[in-house]
Amino acid sequence: MTRLVPLRGGRWFPSLGLPLAGAAAVLLALSSPAWAGLSVGRSAFCRSVEAREPVGVADTFPADVGEVTFFTQILGAEGSQQILHVWIYDGREMAIVPLDVEGPSWRTWSTKRILPEWKGDWIVEVRTVDGAVLHEARMRIE
C-alpha cells in the first residue's frame, strides 16, 4: 500500500518506504527545488541585443515600434536549466518563450512582435518551468 506524504504548497508525493533519515533527505531535496538559487541580476526592454548586451533600452515605445526585446541576466543556475519569458498584455498571455540557461551568469532574451493597436501596459514575467515567478518587468506602448 502506498502512503501519500504532504509537501509544502499543497502537493503530495508517494511515501518511498525509507527509514526516517532517508525520508527526511528526500523531503529536504524536494522542498529545495533546483531553481531555488536562480535570480535575475538585471533586465531591460530594448530595441535589440548586440554583443549579448541590450541596445536602445527604454520602458516606453511608440506604437509603430514593430518589435521589442526583453533582455535578462540570470544568476545562480547550476547546470543546464530553462526559464520562461511570459509576455502579458491586457491580462492575457500573448507569448511564452522558453529560454535555455547554461551557466551561473547567463544572458538571454526574447523578442515580441508588437502590433500598433496593442497600445498600453505590458508585463514580462521571468518564470521557472514550474511556474514560479522570479522577476516581473513593465513597459508601455504609446
Side-chain angles (χ1 to χ4, degrees), residues 12 21 64 82-83 96:
W12 294 78
D64 64 354
Q82 262 194 348
I83 61 161
I96 299 174

Side-chain angles (χ1 to χ4, degrees), residues 120-141:
D121 297 322
W122 283 77
I123 298 170
V124 172
E125 291 180 348
V126 180
R127 296 182 190 170
T128 66
V129 292
D130 293 334
V133 177
L134 299 174
H135 180 73
E136 179 181 286
R138 296 173 180 269
M139 71 160 181
R140 182 160 185 78
I141 302 296

